[in-house]
Amino acid sequence: MHHIKHTVEWVTPYLGVDIVTTNPSIRTSLSAETYGVRVNDSSLPTNEEFYINIPVSSG
């Protein structure tokens, strides 16, 4: 059985790396800014990499 696996790397600012199978990648108590995350999806026939910007509001 092939397990779906994603690597989530919090790159800007650097907040660590998680290997995601069943539990999500969570960061709490974030400051108001935009966070850059790199997600690698190794479950596809071709390894895919996605860059995501996550804006966090102060209000």
Side-chain angles (χ1 to χ4, degrees):
M1 180 177 176
H2 181 68
H3 293 281
I4 296 173
K5 187 185 285 188
H6 297 87
T7 303
V8 178
E9 180 180 10
W10 295 78
V11 293
T12 310
Y14 184 77
L15 299 175
V17 177
D18 296 318
I19 304 299
V20 177
T21 52
T22 56
N23 293 324
S25 177
I26 297 174
R27 298 297 182 272
T28 59
S29 302
L30 298 174
S31 300
E33 64 179 283
T34 299
Y35 294 83
V37 177
R38 183 184 66 84
V39 179
N40 181 274
D41 184 347
S42 62
S43 69
L44 301 172
T46 302
N47 202 28
E48 295 288 338
E49 187 171 84
F50 306 94
Y51 287 87
I52 303 166
N53 289 319
I54 303 171
V56 174
S57 170
S58 62

